[in-house]
Amino acid sequence: MQHTIVMTGATRGIGRIASEHILRRSPDTHLVVVARESTGSQFSGNVSYVVADLNSLKSVRSAAAEICHRLDRGDLPPLRHFVGNAGVQYTDNLIEGPEGIESTFMVNVLANHVFVRAFEDRFGGRGRIVVTVSDTHFGDFTHNLGMVPRPAWDSPDVLARPRAFPKPETTAAGRAAYSTSKLAAIYLVHEYARRLPAGVDVIAYNPGFVPATGLARNAGPIGRFMMRRVLPLLAFTPFGTHRDDAGRYLAEVVLGGTQAPTGSYVDRDKAARSSDESYDPRREQELWDTAERLTALDPAT
């Protein structure tokens, strides 16, 4: 039976590889790619595009509404999966979108929340939501060689605004915003698992450290050089994951080949336990309440 999969972050890196695996292995899939532009290299398969700037709440809400209208009109087959794979990491904690929301938090947390809330009642049969997270949320040497500071949790209202971290103009602040946003994404996965309708599973997927994916496109010259020329060597060690493997693992999670109950954290190709800090019902509830309030704001205000 034909079905729809909506995916962000599908045009490059592990998302592109995962998309190609999905289209090849599931020929009944109609893939809706949410991206800044609908041009560029085309997929081989049944694919359509919805243009959105994930750094803009207004744009994300518009894209989600457009997809819902297409589903309701029957222009798209029934929705089966949503994959929130897009992610950003900046060299500071100063960047904000048009609504004043800090960009790392907007793209890595709130954009997914808008789509999840828009789609939650439209999954046909058993649905699955997969959100790409990161083992940087552990904040230890074992998981990221000390390259990314540990999360620094604060009130979600603070985290959603620029300058939430000390010395916000520094790369360390930008990386702390990234690891903290990935912790936030796991919190929301746990909350979704409690709140989503029966039959809709939600999974947090960690690809591990994957060099050469485009995540460092906002880094400075030295950071880009390290990511492109030096750090790729780590993909062949236990610290890293080759891009092709990470994309294939993501496709397996989306298609259900990786066994994991709803609310799980999948580390590459198997369900695992995320950090101790990532299990905190009080923070999860607080983040849910903040995400609901922020994403419900009138974009014109």
Side-chain angles (χ1 to χ4, degrees):
M1 178 181 175
Q2 283 198 326
H3 59 268
T4 294
I5 296 177
V6 177
M7 187 171 183
T8 68
T11 59
R12 66 174 76 199
I14 68 173
R16 175 70 189 219
I17 294 166
S19 304
E20 292 170 346
H21 275 284
I22 290 167
L23 290 168
R24 186 164 55 249
R25 291 186 47 202
S26 181
D28 289 337
T29 292
H30 181 99
L31 181 66
V32 176
V33 174
V34 180
R36 278 181 174 271
E37 298 178 348
S38 60
T39 57
S41 57
Q42 299 297 309
F43 292 90
S44 57
N46 193 11
V47 179
S48 59
Y49 292 83
V50 172
V51 176
D53 176 3
L54 298 183
N55 192 33
S56 164
L57 181 58
K58 180 178 180 180
S59 182
V60 174
R61 293 175 69 186
S62 177
E66 179 181 343
I67 295 168
C68 287
H69 290 327
R70 291 187 189 181
L71 289 166
D72 294 344
R73 291 195 307 261
D75 297 340
L76 292 171
L79 179 65
R80 182 170 294 177
H81 305 312
F82 167 69
V83 187
N85 178 64
V88 294
Q89 178 179 314
Y90 290 98
T91 56
D92 56 43
N93 183 226
L94 302 172
I95 311 300
E96 62 183 76
E99 294 86 14
I101 299 172
E102 193 275 324
S103 296
T104 313
F105 196 82
M106 179 63 218
V107 175
N108 296 356
V109 182
L110 294 183
N112 288 329
H113 188 71
V114 172
F115 285 117
V116 169
R117 294 291 276 147
F119 297 156
E120 61 180 293
D121 295 325
R122 287 180 167 82
F123 290 97
R126 290 198 62 82
R128 175 165 284 204
I129 295 166
V130 179
V131 177
T132 299
V133 293
S134 168
D135 54 8
T136 60
H137 84 278
F138 280 90
D140 57 22
F141 184 87
T142 300
H143 290 88
N144 62 68
L145 297 177
M147 293 184 292
V148 180
R150 67 175 301 107
W153 191 257
D154 205 329
S155 162
D157 279 307
V158 172
L159 298 175
R161 305 300 174 187
R163 300 180 177 273
F165 301 91
K167 298 182 179 179
E169 72 282 357
T170 65
T171 299
R175 290 176 177 171
Y178 177 79
S179 64
T180 305
S181 75
K182 293 303 184 177
L183 176 62
I186 296 173
Y187 285 149
L188 281 181
V189 164
H190 294 161
E191 196 67 19
Y192 296 148
R194 286 189 283 268
R195 293 175 178 268
L196 289 174
V200 180
D201 293 340
V202 55
I203 306 294
Y205 165 68
N206 166 49
F209 174 70
V210 186
T213 61
L215 186 62
R217 60 188 176 274
N218 298 306
I222 296 176
R224 292 197 302 270
F225 175 81
M226 292 291 291
M227 285 292 289
R228 292 173 180 172
R229 301 297 183 185
V230 179
L231 296 182
L233 298 175
L234 294 178
F236 302 99
T237 75
F239 289 105
T241 311
H242 192 278
R243 184 176 60 177
D244 292 344
D245 291 332
R248 177 168 51 84
Y249 294 151
L250 175 55
E252 287 293 327
V253 175
V254 173
L255 296 177
T258 301
Q259 298 302 308
T262 189
S264 291
Y265 174 81
V266 171
D267 181 11
R268 289 167 250 210
D269 60 347
K270 60 182 180 299
R273 182 174 172 83
S274 51
S275 70
D276 290 343
E277 186 181 9
S278 70
Y279 298 91
D280 189 324
R282 182 187 61 80
R283 288 183 180 180
E284 291 160 6
Q285 174 71 57
E286 183 184 24
L287 178 58
W288 168 275
D289 291 342
T290 301
E292 286 286 280
R293 176 165 43 79
L294 290 176
T295 57
L297 289 175
D298 182 348
T301 62

